[in-house]
Amino acid sequence: MDYVVVKWLHILSATFMFGTGLGSAFYLFFTNRSRNVHAIAVVARQVVWADWLFTAPAVAIQPATGAYLLYRAGIPWDTPWVVWTLALYVLAGACWLPVVWLQMRMRDMARAAAAAETALPAQYWRYARLWVALGVPAFTSMVVIYYL
């Protein structure tokens, strides 16, 4: 495959991964602050959908295109910026996987509360705090990866 095409796919998927993550985090975080159960139910559903539609494919494309680009450019895997990028990517992924699970649970709780016209359960807010706590190192890792 053409190097330029793979590089474009790598950059595009990185943009989708970072942009979707940042946008989803922004909207769900601030919608949570509103405490509007119906709004939270809608936004949580869309955040889960965006993760499956944009983030998951990008997460799969990144290592494949990155490996190809390293190979074609003749860059060794033990180059310091490559090692740091891979370590931070693993860290971000280790945070993202539980975040996806949390988002799905939060979506389900919000949908149930909206349908029943009740407040969100305390468990929702515990999950929301953990969601933020996991998002901070994932986001920071991605910012550093962009720098590298």
Side-chain angles (χ1 to χ4, degrees):
M1 187 174 265
D2 183 51
Y3 182 87
V4 173
V5 172
V6 175
K7 184 175 179 179
W8 177 79
L9 286 171
H10 190 72
I11 292 167
L12 185 64
S13 65
T15 303
F16 278 3
M17 186 170 55
F18 185 75
T20 302
L22 179 60
S24 294
F26 176 87
Y27 285 111
L28 188 55
F29 179 81
F30 283 103
T31 304
N32 278 342
R33 291 180 54 114
S34 78
R35 302 271 177 171
N36 180 322
V37 175
H38 292 282
I40 292 169
V42 170
V43 171
R45 182 180 71 239
Q46 297 304 324
V47 164
V48 170
W49 174 241
D51 257 354
W52 291 117
L53 185 63
F54 299 110
T55 309
V59 166
I61 290 169
Q62 280 292 287
T65 57
Y68 179 82
L69 293 171
L70 288 173
Y71 169 75
R72 284 290 307 270
I75 299 171
W77 285 86
D78 61 353
T79 303
W81 71 265
V82 174
V83 172
W84 276 105
T85 298
L86 292 171
L88 291 167
Y89 192 79
V90 168
L91 173 62
C95 293
W96 179 69
L97 289 172
V99 159
V100 171
W101 182 88
L102 289 166
Q103 288 172 172
M104 290 188 299
R105 302 291 92 58
M106 291 163 66
R107 174 204 58 199
D108 296 345
M109 285 185 262
R111 181 180 356 182
E117 298 288 334
T118 61
L120 289 162
Q123 185 68 38
Y124 180 91
W125 300 110
R126 283 191 290 278
Y127 282 179
R129 285 190 297 278
L130 183 55
W131 179 80
V132 170
L134 288 166
V136 170
F139 177 77
T140 304
S141 294
M142 295 308 298
V143 169
V144 174
I145 288 170
Y146 262 89
Y147 171 76
L148 293 171

